[in-house]
Amino acid sequence: MPKTASQQVTIMNPSPYTVTLIAFTVSGPYSQTNTCAGSILSLKSCTMTVTFAPSAIGSASGNVAIKFSAGSCNPCTNNEPISGTGAAVGSIFPKYQVLSVIYAPPGQQSFVDYGSSTAMGTASSWSHSFSTGTTLEISFSGKIPLFGGANGTISQAWTQTKETNGSLSVDKGSSLDISVPGPANSNSGIDHNGDIVLVWINPEADFKATSANGALWNDSFDQRDPANEPDVIPVFVAWLKNPASMPVGVQNSLARTWAGSGQGLTTADFATILARDPFANGSTTIDPKRFDLQGGETFAYLPPPCGFQPITETFSEFYNTTTTFGTSASDSYSVSYTKSAGAGFGTWLQANFTATTSLSWTNQWGHQNSSSSGQKATFSITGPSDCHYAGPTDAQVYQDNVYGTFMFAFL
């Protein structure tokens, strides 16, 4: 159960009499010690220390009674109510969190630049991992640098902020531009093997259970992670499909996670992460609740006449996030976790958590309902260089209402 807490108070005798102390009585899960030595001279004081030793989680009231005699008091009793809240403290360590899916544009020379004003990220809710009636009050602080801070020029690129009860908003900050190129083969068109999933390994939630079904919690990163900061790894879809193809450095980075069963990410983990990208396995169906067509425009992906170079269209677009579908778009998945806690917290977690071995994330873009925020991105689409290209020539741009990024498709 929770540890004890003590508070020292001063007992003052403002009267012209010497106060004789007869008894100190403390009720509830409290005890006391004092330096009063049986009496207090006029205008003098002594101290009393009250210690709270809760036997259960939640609020506990009590009373301090001081029986004394002085002047016309023969005797008198002074009663003071006291209260405290018993809290069981512990942490859970999810194996990872998916922060964003970044979609590759079409064309060898094409790119999309998520510039300084882009809010590219997600709001992730934990609340439905807890039993109905469980109340969570959230406090957040800190910044999440992209790529684990391996390159100092992109440090502090991600920030985390409080959203609604039970959710954490993780957004790209203004100090980083992310330029995502298209495929190496200009005739490939749109190749989702080049999509990138941003994976935060070893997040941490520190809990203070304050009632039978209520807790305060703070989201941060696991201090044991050797990156010594929030550890965000970009992983290409092609690598998730074939983990053996990952560069050794990426494999080593992903092996830093230890939550759940076994060291590093497993085949099942890779499959779960891959499933966050609805087009990773070849699907061409576009869910209108999750993806909003932007502006109704189409953009040219034209081959040149033989002997000439393809045309390039470069443009910037700003899209408000107000959408009739966005608030209903979400993406849920389960992640294993470990915990570090005393007996009291373990009991609370078991009573209030809906799964004993996994945590459920629900992702939704954190700024769906703010008319003042939106996406600004620069697109440069260069058509295929092969003059015999016979594929589609009209590209469309959609907004992903879960991760706030732009997705390309052919008309």
Side-chain angles (χ1 to χ4, degrees):
M1 291 311 299
K3 296 180 179 180
T4 61
S6 298
Q7 181 172 329
Q8 188 178 81
V9 295
T10 298
I11 302 174
M12 182 71 187
N13 176 15
S15 74
Y17 310 104
T18 295
V19 172
T20 300
L21 298 169
I22 300 172
F24 289 84
T25 304
V26 182
S27 65
Y30 301 90
S31 61
Q32 67 82 30
T33 59
N34 64 80
T35 63
C36 298
S39 64
I40 310 175
L41 299 176
S42 174
L43 304 181
K44 298 295 182 180
S45 65
C46 61
T47 60
M48 178 177 64
T49 300
V50 178
T51 300
F52 176 40
S55 57
I57 297 173
S59 60
S61 59
N63 184 74
V64 175
I66 303 176
K67 189 176 182 179
F68 64 96
S69 65
S72 60
C73 274
N74 193 22
C76 292
T77 301
N78 185 39
N79 290 287
E80 294 294 338
I82 52 178
S83 62
T85 301
V89 178
S91 301
I92 63 173
F93 305 97
K95 200 170 190 179
Y96 62 87
Q97 178 192 356
V98 173
L99 292 184
S100 191
V101 176
I102 305 173
Y103 301 94
Q108 186 177 18
Q109 301 300 320
S110 304
F111 69 86
V112 54
D113 180 12
Y114 290 99
S116 60
S117 64
T118 308
M120 183 183 64
T122 183
S124 297
S125 171
W126 298 33
S127 58
H128 72 297
S129 292
F130 293 86
S131 300
T132 302
T134 300
T135 301
L136 300 176
E137 182 179 335
I138 314 163
S139 173
F140 297 113
S141 62
K143 293 181 181 294
I144 303 176
L146 192 64
F147 307 136
N151 185 335
T153 62
I154 56 176
S155 181
Q156 307 303 320
W158 291 81
T159 60
Q160 56 184 23
T161 58
K162 180 177 178 180
E163 277 292 323
T164 57
N165 269 0
S167 71
L168 164 68
S169 174
V170 185
D171 299 320
K172 189 186 79 63
S174 60
S175 62
L176 172 69
D177 282 1
I178 299 178
S179 182
V180 183
N185 184 347
S186 63
N187 289 334
S188 296
I190 296 169
D191 188 348
H192 287 288
N193 283 321
D195 294 352
I196 297 170
V197 183
L198 295 177
V199 183
W200 176 13
I201 61 174
N202 303 325
E204 175 181 340
D206 301 317
F207 284 82
K208 181 185 291 185
T210 55
S211 67
N213 61 351
L216 302 172
W217 62 282
N218 184 76
D219 193 278
S220 62
F221 66 93
D222 193 332
Q223 301 289 331
R224 297 171 296 176
D225 190 305
N228 198 34
E229 60 188 358
D231 204 348
V232 181
I233 313 297
V235 185
F236 282 96
V237 161
W239 295 343
L240 292 167
K241 290 180 177 179
N242 181 15
S245 68
M246 289 184 184
V248 173
V250 176
Q251 294 180 26
N252 292 340
S253 296
L254 295 177
R256 288 196 290 259
T257 188
W258 53 78
S261 58
Q263 180 82 8
L265 297 181
T266 65
T267 301
D269 293 326
F270 288 132
T272 299
I273 295 169
L274 183 66
R276 310 286 54 83
D277 184 340
F279 309 103
N281 289 313
S283 174
T284 58
T285 301
I286 299 175
D287 181 357
K289 289 186 178 181
R290 175 162 174 176
F291 294 93
D292 287 341
L293 180 64
Q294 298 301 315
E297 296 184 53
T298 59
F299 308 104
Y301 186 69
L302 294 170
C306 290
F308 291 84
Q309 295 294 320
I311 65 171
T312 298
E313 288 188 347
T314 301
F315 45 88
S316 294
E317 296 255 355
F318 179 84
Y319 306 123
N320 285 330
T321 64
T322 52
T323 166
T324 57
F325 298 108
T327 55
S328 63
S330 62
D331 181 37
S332 299
Y333 58 99
S334 296
V335 178
S336 59
Y337 70 92
T338 57
K339 66 178 183 295
S340 173
F345 177 77
T347 302
W348 182 91
L349 192 67
Q350 183 176 358
N352 291 278
F353 215 54
T354 59
T356 57
T357 59
S358 64
L359 165 78
S360 295
W361 290 113
T362 294
N363 286 338
Q364 185 174 31
W365 194 22
H367 297 279
Q368 296 273 311
N369 300 318
S370 173
S371 60
S372 63
S373 66
Q375 282 283 15
K376 182 179 181 181
T378 298
F379 305 100
S380 180
I381 294 182
T382 301
S385 57
D386 184 354
C387 64
H388 300 293
Y389 171 79
T393 58
D394 294 309
Q396 292 180 307
V397 180
Y398 291 80
Q399 184 182 63
D400 186 337
N401 287 322
V402 171
Y403 295 107
T405 51
F406 291 95
M407 191 278 294
F408 300 86
F410 283 132
L411 181 65

